[in-house]
């Protein structure tokens, strides 16, 4: 019983993503198109493949068994077809990256324009997430993460700056009004602009000096979703709402301009830079191979 490979791909995308909207986001298609493709498959097989509710989409028993066999098979088909891509003068096709918002803001701008100029036939999709998701389940070829967030059984190569810092800062007007803290624990007496992960967990502020690590559960009048609303937090800090704790590179323009002033800088914590990570498959799509080589060449020079 033959089935269209596009419809099969649509089913795998939706099943892995856990929904039609999520699948559309991962694949760059439309939710209605994916839904119609799955309906065609179910009509052809005469079997329901997905259980649909208003809150979730999950494979039926038949769908789960199909997914187990189909996922690796489609990956082999893609790898086989991509062999032909290697004979082109320049790789072509889509490349999907799943990255945190901070990487989209701080790492990729110095890489993407020159990469796309070098490989004009590659179509780059950047999916910036507020939380941490399964990169493969999201339908992406590779992702960017930091050490503590790297998924297991993945190959990781450095990308972007190899060392970063978290900076703590406030506006001159706030410090004139509330005073300047000299130790991380002094922040307990200050209005702090806090971040919240997509899971609902709050982001404790961590500091380090001469081997001593101090974590502070700050309080304050403004809580923003990490990533999506970070620019609002920065604007609020500049306006004098409170003290902010964020990537130094994100705050650097405002520190250089004087709109924000550094606070307890000797305690700013350093951490290793991000990594590009991808599955350790024998065959990688040509666009991903090109991107890996491009990143590696930039590290050499």
């Amino acid at each position: 019983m033959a089935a269209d490979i596009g419809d099969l791909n649509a089913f795998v995308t939706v099943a892995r993503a856990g929904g039609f909207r999520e699948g559309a986001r991962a694949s760059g298609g439309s939710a209605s198109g994916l839904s119609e493709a799955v309906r065609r498959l179910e009509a052809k097989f005469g079997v329901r493949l997905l259980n649909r509710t208003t809150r979730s989409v999950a494979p039926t028993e038949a769908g789960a068994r199909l997914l187990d066999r189909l996922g690796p098979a489609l990956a082999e088909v893609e790898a086989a077809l991509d062999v032909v891509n290697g004979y082109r003068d320049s790789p072509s096709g889509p490349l999907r990256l799943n990255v945190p918002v901070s990487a989209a803001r701080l790492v990729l701008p110095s890489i993407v324009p020159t990469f796309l100029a070098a490989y004009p036939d590659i179509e780059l999709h950047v999916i910036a997430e507020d939380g941490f998701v399964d990169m493969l389940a999201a339908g992406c070829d590779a992702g960017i993460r930091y050490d503590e967030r790297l998924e297991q059984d993945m190959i990781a190569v450095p990308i972007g700056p190899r060392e970063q810092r978290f900076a703590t800062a406030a506006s001159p007007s706030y410090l004139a009004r509330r005073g300047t803290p000299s130790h991380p624990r002094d922040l307990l007496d200050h209005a702090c602009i806090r971040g919240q992960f997509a899971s609902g967990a709050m982001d404790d502020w961590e500091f380090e000096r001469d081997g001593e690590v101090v974590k502070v559960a700050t309080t304050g009048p403004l809580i923003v979703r990490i990533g999506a609303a970070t620019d609002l937090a920065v604007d609020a800090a500049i306006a004098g709402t409170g003290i902010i704790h964020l990537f130094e590179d994100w705050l650097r323009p405002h520190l250089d301009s004087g709109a924000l002033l550094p606070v307890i800088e000797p305690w700013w914590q350093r951490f290793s830079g991000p990594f590009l990570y991808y599955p350790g498959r024998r065959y990688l799509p040509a666009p991903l191979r090109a991107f890996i080589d491009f990143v590696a060449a930039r590290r050499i020079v």
Side-chain angles (χ1 to χ4, degrees), residues 38-111:
V38 173
R39 286 197 193 97
R40 284 195 298 266
L41 276 183
E42 292 179 328
K44 182 178 291 291
F45 294 142
V47 174
R48 180 175 288 276
L49 300 174
L50 296 174
N51 287 321
R52 305 158 175 84
T53 70
T54 56
R55 294 188 176 182
S56 66
V57 172
T60 62
E61 182 179 353
R65 295 188 65 181
L66 177 62
L67 181 63
D68 287 342
R69 298 292 297 272
L70 198 54
L74 288 176
E76 285 298 317
V77 171
E78 290 179 2
L81 294 175
D82 196 59
V83 169
V84 180
N85 205 4
Y87 288 90
R88 293 175 51 91
D89 292 335
S90 178
S92 68
L95 170 61
R96 297 180 176 85
L97 301 180
N98 184 277
V99 307
V101 174
S102 59
R105 175 70 177 267
L106 304 176
V107 175
L108 291 181
S110 65
I111 297 174

Side-chain angles (χ1 to χ4, degrees), residues 144-152 154 156 275-277:
I144 296 178
R145 291 290 183 266
Y146 289 87
D147 266 334
E148 70 276 11
R149 299 289 185 176
L150 285 175
E151 298 177 22
Q152 294 182 347
M154 292 283 178
F275 292 84
L276 174 71
Y277 74 106

Side-chain angles (χ1 to χ4, degrees), residues 90-135:
S90 178
S92 68
L95 170 61
R96 297 180 176 85
L97 301 180
N98 184 277
V99 307
V101 174
S102 59
R105 175 70 177 267
L106 304 176
V107 175
L108 291 181
S110 65
I111 297 174
V112 166
T114 49
F115 172 73
L116 292 179
Y119 298 98
D121 294 327
I122 291 178
E123 181 181 76
L124 180 62
H125 299 245
V126 177
I127 297 92
E129 302 279 0
D130 298 332
F132 296 97
V133 302
D134 184 326
M135 175 264 292

Side-chain angles (χ1 to χ4, degrees), residues 260-282:
L260 291 174
L261 298 177
V263 172
I264 52 177
E265 185 170 359
W267 286 88
W268 289 3
Q269 188 178 55
R270 297 179 181 273
F271 56 98
S272 63
F275 292 84
L276 174 71
Y277 74 106
Y278 55 94
R281 299 186 300 223
R282 182 178 179 185

Side-chain angles (χ1 to χ4, degrees), residues 178-217:
R178 297 288 300 271
T180 302
S182 59
H183 189 278
R185 293 190 183 90
D186 294 342
L187 295 170
L188 295 173
D189 297 322
H190 282 266
C192 295
I193 299 171
R194 296 175 291 164
Q196 186 177 41
F197 292 104
S199 64
M202 299 298 295
D203 183 27
D204 286 347
W205 295 7
E206 190 167 308
F207 303 87
E208 185 174 3
R209 184 180 186 182
D210 299 330
E212 180 186 359
V213 176
V214 177
K215 289 187 178 182
V216 181

Side-chain angles (χ1 to χ4, degrees), residues 166-184:
F166 279 112
T168 311
S171 70
S173 63
Y174 175 88
L175 296 177
R177 187 173 72 250
R178 297 288 300 271
T180 302
S182 59
H183 189 278

